[in-house]
Amino acid sequence: NTHKDLKDKKEFTLSETLGTKTFWLIWLTWAMAGAGGISMVTLSTSYGLSKGLKLAEAVVILTAFNLTNGASRLVSGYLSDIIGRNGTMAASFLAAACAYWLLPQVHGLLWCASLAAVVGFAFGTLFAVSAPLVVDCFGIAHFGTIFGMVFTAYGFLAGLLGPWLSGYILDVSGGNFRYVFSYLGGFFLLSAILIWLVRKRT
């Protein structure tokens, strides 16, 4: 019955997909959550040094991010099959938003690494759960083309909104991570809202 239900659902072409609100909700999610995630790669070590950590300790923050970035792809993929794609992604994005907002307040390697790990988990979830979500929304027939178009948000915008803009803000603010982490947390919050609004095809 499940197989028959899937066959009966509409298979979207790329042009049809681009005309839906759902596509642009996912696309904007990739731009903002992608920016929030990839920024930790470039910011984690310098953030740790700004907290008075030694270089070897600061690198642990990046390591924690990378570990959960990888591990979450297994965990969140499994969870999304149970509790749903939207809920899994929204929950991880909300957690990442809170982690970013808490980062300027905390001290010590354990706290810094733990919060970076939360961001890493959300970043991995973005990659792991987006693909099946796209299939749920638009079908499998044109998945490669549609997902490739979704990924342009990450390729074209995430780098500018994340590493480039955060670096610029750090330069003009004299290295104030509070400003940077505030807006990156805001990106994850908006991503949680946008992905929650995504609806599957009928």
Side-chain angles (χ1 to χ4, degrees):
N1 288 337
T2 302
H3 181 66
K4 183 178 184 301
D5 289 342
L6 288 175
K7 286 182 66 177
D8 289 342
K9 290 183 177 180
K10 177 177 174 58
E11 296 284 343
F12 284 75
T13 65
L14 178 61
S15 59
E16 289 172 334
T17 298
L18 294 177
T20 66
K21 180 175 74 172
T22 293
F23 172 82
W24 294 106
L25 289 172
I26 298 174
W27 193 88
L28 288 171
T29 296
W30 264 89
M32 290 185 289
I38 196 62
S39 293
M40 185 58 73
V41 175
T42 59
L43 296 174
S44 54
T45 302
S46 57
Y47 162 72
L49 293 174
S50 76
K51 286 291 186 178
L53 299 175
K54 297 177 181 178
L55 180 58
E57 294 175 320
V59 171
V60 171
I61 301 173
L62 177 59
T63 303
F65 167 85
N66 284 328
L67 286 173
T68 52
N69 177 24
S72 70
R73 301 181 191 220
L74 296 174
V75 177
S76 60
Y78 174 76
L79 286 176
S80 75
D81 287 337
I82 299 173
I83 66 174
R85 320 292 185 205
N86 306 63
T88 301
M89 295 179 77
S92 69
F93 294 163
L94 282 174
C98 293
Y100 260 129
W101 293 332
L102 285 172
L103 273 168
Q105 321 295 333
V106 301
H107 299 279
L109 178 58
L110 179 60
W111 275 109
C112 295
S114 297
L115 293 173
V118 173
V119 177
F121 189 95
F123 194 44
T125 298
L126 174 69
F127 278 83
V129 184
S130 289
L133 179 62
V134 166
V135 173
D136 290 345
C137 294
F138 305 113
I140 195 67
H142 303 284
F143 168 77
T145 305
I146 293 170
F147 192 71
M149 187 61 69
V150 168
F151 204 75
T152 61
Y154 182 75
F156 296 144
L157 274 187
L160 290 174
L161 295 174
W164 181 83
L165 183 57
S166 60
Y168 175 78
I169 292 174
L170 283 175
D171 286 343
V172 299
S173 67
N176 192 327
F177 280 89
R178 185 181 302 275
Y179 297 136
V180 170
F181 289 161
S182 292
Y183 95 81
L184 292 174
F187 277 175
F188 268 119
L189 174 61
L190 287 172
S191 296
I193 295 170
L194 292 176
I195 210 66
W196 187 254
L197 297 173
V198 168
R199 293 292 175 261
K200 297 180 183 180
R201 61 191 171 139
T202 55

